[in-house]
Amino acid sequence: MTPTWPIHGGIHPAENKHQSMQLPLADVSLPDELVLPLNMHLGAPAEPIVAVGDRVLTGQMIAEPVGPFSAAVHASSSGTVTAIEDRPLPHPSGMRGLCIVIATDGKDEWVELTPCDDYRAVALPDLVERIRRAGIAGMGGAGFPTAIKVAPKANQPIKTLILNGTECEPYITADDRLMQDFAAEVVAGAELLAHLLHQPEQILIGIEDNKPDAIAALKKAAQNTAVNVVVFPTKYPSGGEKQLIQILTGKEVPSGKIPADIGIVVQNVGTAVAAWRAIVKGEPLISRITTVVGEALEVQRNVQVRLGTPIGHVLKEHGLRAADVARLIMGGPMMGFTLETEAVPVVKTTNCILAPTQQELPPPPPAQACIRCGLCAEACPASLLPQQLYWYADAGEHDKLEAYNLFDCIECGACAYVCPSSIPLVQYYRAAKGEIRQAREDKIKSDRSRERFAFRQERLAKAEAEKEAKRQERARAAEAAKARMAEQQAANPAAPANDPVAAAIARAKAQQQNAQQAPGDQREKLERQLASAKSRLSLCEEKIASAESEEQAEKFRAAVKAAELKVAECEQKLAALASAAPAQAETTPSDDPVAAAIARAQAKMTMSPAEKLQSSLESLQQRLGKAEEKLNEAKAAGDSKADALQTGVDKLKQKIADTEAELKALAPATPAPAPAPAEQDAAASAIARAQARAAEMANMSEGDKLREQLQSLTGRLEKARAKLATAEAEGSDHVDALRTGVDKLETKLRETQAKLENA
C-alpha cells in the first residue's frame, strides 16, 4: 500500500455529489451556433486561419497556436464560419474576447484523422507537437497547455508522474464519471504521458475515498501496469496541485517554484484521456464531460458537450426554471464564478455548470469587521496568513503582500468559508494579484522606455561628437588652404587675387605637385574626399524624399548627380594611385589626369555655345549607349532594376532630343562667337519660370492653389513610394530615410486635402 501524508488546514464542506451521479453519461445535442473563443487556455490566444464564409469540418483546425505557450482551436462540428468577432467569455470579470462563430449544418462531417497505431515508434518532439496542435490543455480548471508540461527542460528530470483524480470541489463529478466510464483510457493516457516524460520512476493516480466506483474501475484497468492507484481521505482542497503532491509524496513545492523543479509533473485525468485520444486516434479536443447540476434544473447529470456550445442551450435541455435560479455559476461553489449571461460558451476548462436555487445556495451575509479569530490561518492549505494578506490587500501594500507569499494562494476559498465575519477574502486576494501583475507589466514597459531614451541620448551625443570632429577637420583644412593660397600669392604676385579660375588652376597645380612629392599624403586626402562625397550623396538622397516642392526635389537630384560624379572621380583617382608603380611616379604632363582636367576646363572656357552643346550631345550619346547596354543586361537577367534603367534611358533620349533642338536653333548664330543670349542662361530661365509661376499663382483662387498643390503632392508621393519600394527590395541603407519622407508627404497630403475640403 502506497503511503500518504497529511496536509495543513483544509475543510469538509457539504459534498453534494450524489445529485449528478444518478443518471448515466449523456450527450448534449448540437446547437445552431457554436462560439469558440481563441483563448480557451493559459498563454497566447490562437491565431485564426479561417475567414468568414468558409465551410469547416468537425475536428478541423480553425486557429493555430502562436508560440510555444499556446494551443490550437478546432471546429466542434461542421458548418460555416459566420463571424470572427468579440463575444462574452466565461470569465470572472465578464470580459469579452475574439471568438470564431460557426453556424452548424447538422451533418457533423469529420475531417480526415491521422491515428497512430504505435506511438512508441514516433519521435518524442513529434508527439509533443501533435498534442500541441490537437489543442490539448489542462481540463481540471487551469487550462495550462499540455505540450509545455510534457516537455520539461533538460535540467528538470521527472521522477514522478501524478494524475489528479481528486475532484474535491463540491457538486462536481465530471472526473468521477470519466474514471468510471473510461478507466482503461485513463490508464492508457498515464502510460502515454510517462513515455513522453522518459518513463519516470513512479506513475500515480490520486483519488479521494469518496469515489468507490471510480477506484474499483481504475484498479481493475491498472492491473499488470506500472500505474499505481493511490486512495486517501477526503478533504477540501486536496485536489490542489501542490497539496496533492504533498499528500502522495510528502514533498513540498518551494514558494515561487513549479512541480517540475522537484521532479514531479501533475496532469488531470481528463487531460490524460484527451492526450491519448489525440495521439492514438488523431482526435483533437472538441468536447469534454461537464457536470450540469443544481436544484433549479429538472435534470441533473454529467454530459458530453461540444466546446463552443452556449450555456443557455445546455441549460434548456436540462429544464432550467429561470424563476427559481439564484445565479449561474461556472465551476463549483468554492472556486467557481458567477456568469453574467447564458450566452457564454462551454470551453476546455468548463467542468461544471451550477444552477442553484436561493435556498440551496443563499448569498453570503454582509461582511463585518475582522475579529482576528485565526480560523482562516488554520484552514489555509498553503500555510499562509490570510488575515495579514487581507489587511495588506485592503491597504494596497503590494510589497508586503509579496513578502507574505500572496502568489502561493491557490484561491480555494477555505479561508472565506470558515470566516465568521463573512469577509470575501479570496476576492481581495484576486484583486491584489491583478494589481501586482499590472504593476509588474507597467514597470517592464517603463524600464524599456527608459532604456530606449538612454540609448537615443547616447546615439545623439555620439552623432554630435562626430559632427563636431568633422567641423574641426574642415576648419583645419580651410586654414591650411588659406595658408597655401597666401604662399602662392606671395610666390606669384602677378596673379589676380580675385580670379577664381586662376585660383582653381593654381590649386590644381599645387595638388599635382603635392601628389608627386608625397603620394601617401595624396592618398589620404583622396580617401577623405571620397568619404565626404559619399556622405553628401547619402544626405542628398535623404533630402529628395523629404522635399516639400518639385523644384526643391529637382535641386536635390542635381546635387545627387554631382555627388555621384565626385565619388566616381575620387574612386578613379584612388585606383590610379594604387596601381601606379614607384617608377611611374613622375608622369608626363600629357598623362597627368589633373593636367588633362585643367586643359579641358581651359578649353571649355573658350568654347562657343554651339560647341558646348555639341560636346554635351556627344557625352549624352555615350551615356545613352552605356545605359542601353545595362538595360539589355537587366532585361536578360530578369533584374528588378530594369524598370528604373528604362526610365533612365528614356530621360537620356529626351535630353538628347532637347540638346539637338537647342543646337539646331543655334545653327544660324554659330559663326558668331558672341556670348549666349540672356534667355538661354540657366539661372535666368529658372528665375523667369519662377516669376511666371508666382504671377500665375497670384491670380489663382485659394481653392485652385490647394488643388494645384494637391496634384503636385500626389505625384511626388507616388515617386517617393516607388523609390521606397525599390530601396526595400534592394535592402538599401536609405530605407528608413525614404520611409520618413513618404510619411511626411502623406501627412502633407492629408493636411492639404483637409484644407481643400474646408475651403
Side-chain angles (χ1 to χ4, degrees):
M1 181 176 178
T2 303
T4 60
W5 286 261
I7 60 172
H8 179 274
I11 56 176
H12 294 85
E15 294 179 4
N16 291 319
K17 292 180 178 286
H18 64 281
Q19 298 98 312
S20 57
M21 294 298 289
Q22 303 302 313
L23 297 174
L25 183 66
D27 290 324
V28 174
S29 64
L30 282 175
D32 295 332
E33 183 180 78
L34 294 168
V35 180
L36 294 159
L38 300 181
N39 58 344
M40 290 189 281
H41 52 269
L42 288 179
E47 185 74 22
I49 56 174
V50 293
V52 175
D54 289 352
R55 185 175 187 273
V56 295
L57 301 177
T58 307
Q60 177 182 335
M61 184 188 294
I62 56 176
E64 61 183 2
V66 179
F69 204 86
S70 185
V73 177
H74 300 77
S76 304
S77 183
S78 59
T80 303
V81 178
T82 58
I84 302 177
E85 62 187 13
D86 284 346
R87 291 286 185 97
L89 299 180
H91 191 273
S93 65
M95 64 183 289
R96 300 171 67 89
L98 193 62
C99 302
I100 298 177
V101 183
I102 299 175
T104 58
D105 55 16
K107 299 178 181 179
D108 200 24
E109 294 181 292
W110 274 80
V111 72
E112 184 178 354
L113 302 179
T114 55
C116 177
D117 296 331
D118 183 12
Y119 61 79
R120 291 177 176 82
V122 180
L124 294 184
D126 293 340
L127 293 177
V128 173
E129 182 61 19
R130 288 192 185 192
I131 289 175
R132 178 171 174 265
R133 296 188 69 80
I136 311 301
M139 299 174 68
F144 197 93
T146 305
I148 301 294
K149 277 193 172 183
V150 297
K153 299 177 183 177
N155 61 350
Q156 294 175 333
I158 303 304
K159 297 183 179 180
T160 303
L161 168 64
I162 298 175
L163 292 196
N164 189 348
T166 307
E167 200 169 48
C168 58
E169 178 94 4
Y171 284 97
I172 306 176
T173 58
D175 288 346
D176 191 355
R177 176 55 64 192
L178 173 75
M179 291 184 288
Q180 290 186 39
D181 295 356
F182 303 98
E185 292 189 12
V186 172
V187 174
E191 292 179 323
L192 167 65
L193 296 177
H195 174 70
L196 292 170
L197 296 170
H198 305 282
Q199 297 300 336
E201 298 172 3
Q202 287 183 303
I203 307 174
L204 308 176
I205 300 179
I207 184 170
E208 287 184 328
D209 58 7
N210 62 349
K211 303 175 182 63
D213 294 337
I215 293 170
L218 286 175
K219 286 187 174 181
K220 181 179 179 180
Q223 289 179 353
N224 302 320
T225 70
V227 180
N228 188 8
V229 179
V230 183
V231 182
F232 51 89
T234 299
K235 179 193 282 190
Y236 180 84
S238 56
E241 184 177 61
K242 294 183 179 181
Q243 285 67 41
L244 183 59
I245 290 173
Q246 186 175 356
I247 290 172
L248 298 183
T249 68
K251 299 179 180 179
E252 294 188 24
V253 180
S255 177
K257 300 292 185 180
I258 61 175
D261 293 328
I262 61 172
I264 299 175
V265 165
V266 181
Q267 294 281 15
N268 178 263
V269 289
T271 308
V273 172
W276 181 82
R277 290 176 179 171
I279 295 297
V280 177
K281 297 184 178 181
E283 296 179 4
L285 181 56
I286 63 167
S287 66
R288 67 157 295 139
I289 296 177
T290 298
T291 302
V292 184
V293 66
E295 293 182 0
L297 300 170
E298 294 181 0
V299 180
Q300 304 180 56
R301 62 182 180 185
N302 285 288
V303 294
Q304 187 82 32
V305 58
R306 299 290 179 98
L307 302 182
T309 301
I311 297 294
H313 178 80
V314 178
L315 295 173
K316 183 179 179 181
E317 288 202 354
H318 290 77
L320 175 69
R321 297 185 296 273
D324 296 339
V325 66
R327 60 186 184 276
L328 289 177
I329 299 174
M330 181 171 285
M334 301 297 294
M335 299 184 69
F337 55 89
T338 302
L339 296 175
E340 295 184 357
T341 173
E342 297 179 6
V344 299
V346 172
V347 294
K348 297 176 183 180
T349 57
T350 306
N351 55 5
C352 179
I353 302 172
L354 178 57
T357 61
Q358 192 80 10
Q359 295 76 23
E360 182 182 13
L361 202 63
Q368 300 178 14
C370 174
I371 62 174
R372 306 184 182 182
C373 62
L375 292 177
C376 55
E378 294 178 6
C380 179
S383 299
L384 300 176
L385 297 174
Q387 183 180 357
Q388 278 77 7
L389 292 176
Y390 159 63
W391 290 334
Y392 295 143
D394 189 32
E397 299 184 32
H398 295 166
D399 53 342
K400 292 185 178 179
L401 284 170
E402 295 193 64
Y404 277 79
N405 300 321
L406 171 66
F407 284 91
D408 286 348
C409 171
I410 63 173
E411 301 177 15
C412 65
C415 55
Y417 182 83
V418 301
C419 179
S421 298
S422 301
I423 301 174
L425 297 171
V426 176
Q427 279 74 5
Y428 279 96
Y429 304 155
R430 285 176 179 168
K433 286 180 180 180
E435 292 173 0
I436 292 174
R437 292 191 183 101
Q438 186 61 48
R440 288 175 178 174
E441 292 179 4
D442 293 343
K443 184 178 183 304
I444 291 173
K445 292 179 181 178
S446 176
D447 291 343
R448 288 176 178 171
S449 298
R450 186 162 49 252
E451 289 174 1
R452 287 195 299 268
F453 178 76
F455 178 77
R456 180 176 181 274
Q457 292 298 105
E458 181 181 353
R459 177 171 54 81
L460 293 176
K462 183 178 179 181
E464 186 61 30
E466 291 176 353
K467 289 181 181 179
E468 182 61 27
K470 289 179 180 179
R471 283 195 292 268
Q472 293 178 0
E473 183 179 354
R474 288 195 297 269
R476 288 193 296 269
E479 291 295 331
K482 288 181 180 179
R484 286 195 299 272
M485 287 293 294
E487 293 176 359
Q488 293 168 5
Q489 188 67 25
N492 187 12
N498 57 352
D499 187 353
V501 177
I505 294 173
R507 286 196 300 271
K509 289 182 177 180
Q511 290 174 359
Q512 176 185 3
Q513 184 177 3
N514 292 337
Q516 293 175 352
Q517 293 176 354
D521 295 341
Q522 182 68 6
R523 184 182 297 105
E524 292 179 1
K525 188 171 183 180
L526 286 173
E527 289 174 349
R528 288 196 301 271
Q529 292 176 351
L530 177 60
S532 177
K534 288 182 176 180
S535 177
R536 288 198 303 274
L537 175 61
S538 176
L539 182 62
C540 292
E541 288 176 340
E542 294 176 2
K543 289 184 176 180
I544 290 177
S546 59
E548 297 183 355
S549 64
E550 185 60 30
E551 292 79 3
Q552 193 177 41
E554 189 63 33
K555 290 181 181 179
F556 288 142
R557 280 193 283 271
V560 166
K561 179 58 67 178
E564 288 175 346
L565 293 174
K566 186 64 177 178
V567 169
E569 180 184 354
C570 292
E571 289 176 343
Q572 182 180 5
K573 289 181 179 180
L574 278 171
L577 191 64
S579 61
Q584 298 175 342
E586 297 180 359
T587 58
T588 60
S590 59
D591 295 333
D592 184 2
V594 178
I598 295 172
R600 287 195 299 272
Q602 291 174 336
K604 197 169 185 179
M605 291 173 60
T606 60
M607 282 184 179
S608 66
E611 290 174 340
K612 290 180 181 179
L613 286 173
Q614 184 63 39
S615 176
S616 298
L617 181 62
E618 293 173 357
S619 175
L620 288 170
Q621 288 171 343
Q622 292 177 358
R623 289 168 57 193
L624 177 62
K626 294 179 181 179
E628 288 177 338
E629 290 179 6
K630 291 183 179 179
L631 175 60
N632 294 333
E633 292 174 358
K635 287 182 177 180
D639 196 334
S640 60
K641 298 179 181 179
D643 293 339
L645 291 172
Q646 181 64 58
T647 302
V649 167
D650 295 340
K651 287 183 177 180
L652 284 173
K653 289 181 178 179
Q654 183 62 41
K655 287 184 179 180
I656 289 174
D658 294 343
T659 305
E660 288 176 343
E662 291 183 19
L663 187 61
K664 185 176 181 181
L666 281 177
T670 301
E679 60 269 17
Q680 293 180 357
D681 181 76
S685 299
I687 294 171
R689 288 195 301 271
Q691 290 174 342
R693 183 61 180 166
E696 183 182 354
M697 293 289 287
N699 296 327
M700 285 185 178
S701 66
E702 187 65 25
D704 291 339
K705 290 180 182 179
L706 289 172
R707 278 186 284 272
E708 185 75 15
Q709 188 177 3
L710 187 64
Q711 183 178 0
S712 174
L713 286 170
T714 303
R716 289 167 55 200
L717 181 58
E718 290 177 357
K719 293 179 181 179
R721 285 173 175 168
K723 289 183 179 180
L724 175 59
T726 303
E728 289 177 340
E730 297 174 355
S732 173
D733 295 336
H734 307 306
V735 169
D736 291 339
L738 292 171
R739 186 178 291 112
T740 300
V742 168
D743 293 341
K744 289 183 178 179
L745 286 173
E746 290 176 343
T747 302
K748 187 71 174 178
L749 184 63
R750 287 193 296 269
E751 293 175 353
T752 305
Q753 289 174 336
K755 291 180 181 178
L756 183 60
E757 292 173 357
N758 297 329

